[in-house]
Amino acid sequence: ASYKFAEAQRSKIYVLENGQPLLLALSHNVEENRTAEAISHVKRFHEYFFTVSPEKSAIEYNINKALFLSDNIAADYYIKLKEDGFYERIISAGILCEIMVDSVKIDDTTYPYKAYTYGKTSIIRSSSILYRNLETVCDLVNSTRTENNPHGFIIEKWKIIDNSDIKEVKRNQWIYNKKNYIYWTKRTSIKR
């Protein structure tokens, strides 16, 4: 009975703040939750890499966060986009890019784990929104947990399988007429 009691006590973690008990947490086997951590890691990487706002510092912040979660292949992809002027066009045109990750599938039967990501990206311009399909595949290898990589994975062999256009939707816009009245119209059907 005393052995069981000692084992039960070892599974408890007491969190203290200024020497005062704050809460009681239960420890568990790290491997029990590894698949959920892998899904979160892959999702977080894609959100950082594909969320692009028209501000240089925001782009650099997100890309740096993404690069902590992956190997050099993502850095090479970023450098290629930068050299092609992609980010300059985003900034000068005031374009916003967003991602919606639909699902992440992890094959944890073999190591390194294989991860498949399915989602949609949107490229938001003042005149239209372009929706694109996004499918990627990568390997996940175990790594050291850090503040910048809390799940302890590194994405390797990341590859975009599909990034095809789905549809483009014209946006409604506020238009000012000569008397400074504002009216709501479709950009393509402005009457003078």
Side-chain angles (χ1 to χ4, degrees), residues 142-164:
N142 290 318
S143 177
T144 305
R145 292 175 192 264
T146 65
E147 186 176 324
N148 292 314
N149 187 350
H151 298 113
F153 284 110
I154 291 291
I155 291 175
E156 292 183 340
K157 300 179 185 174
W158 179 60
K159 182 177 169 185
I160 297 174
I161 298 170
D162 182 21
N163 194 20
S164 58

Side-chain angles (χ1 to χ4, degrees), residues 80-144:
K80 184 179 181 321
L81 288 172
K82 194 173 183 179
E83 288 173 351
D84 291 345
F86 173 76
Y87 297 106
E88 288 177 13
R89 289 191 304 272
I90 292 287
I91 293 167
S92 66
I95 297 171
L96 178 65
C97 300
E98 296 177 337
I99 183 170
M100 173 67 171
V101 176
D102 296 329
S103 65
V104 177
K105 306 290 184 209
I106 304 292
D107 179 4
D108 58 1
T109 58
T110 60
Y111 184 81
Y113 309 121
K114 191 68 86 175
Y116 303 90
T117 307
Y118 306 93
K120 310 263 182 306
T121 58
S122 52
I123 300 170
I124 304 166
R125 298 179 178 93
S126 60
S127 60
S128 65
I129 303 173
L130 175 63
Y131 296 97
R132 304 189 82 172
N133 195 40
L134 180 68
E135 291 181 27
T136 67
V137 64
C138 66
D139 288 346
L140 286 174
V141 296
N142 290 318
S143 177
T144 305

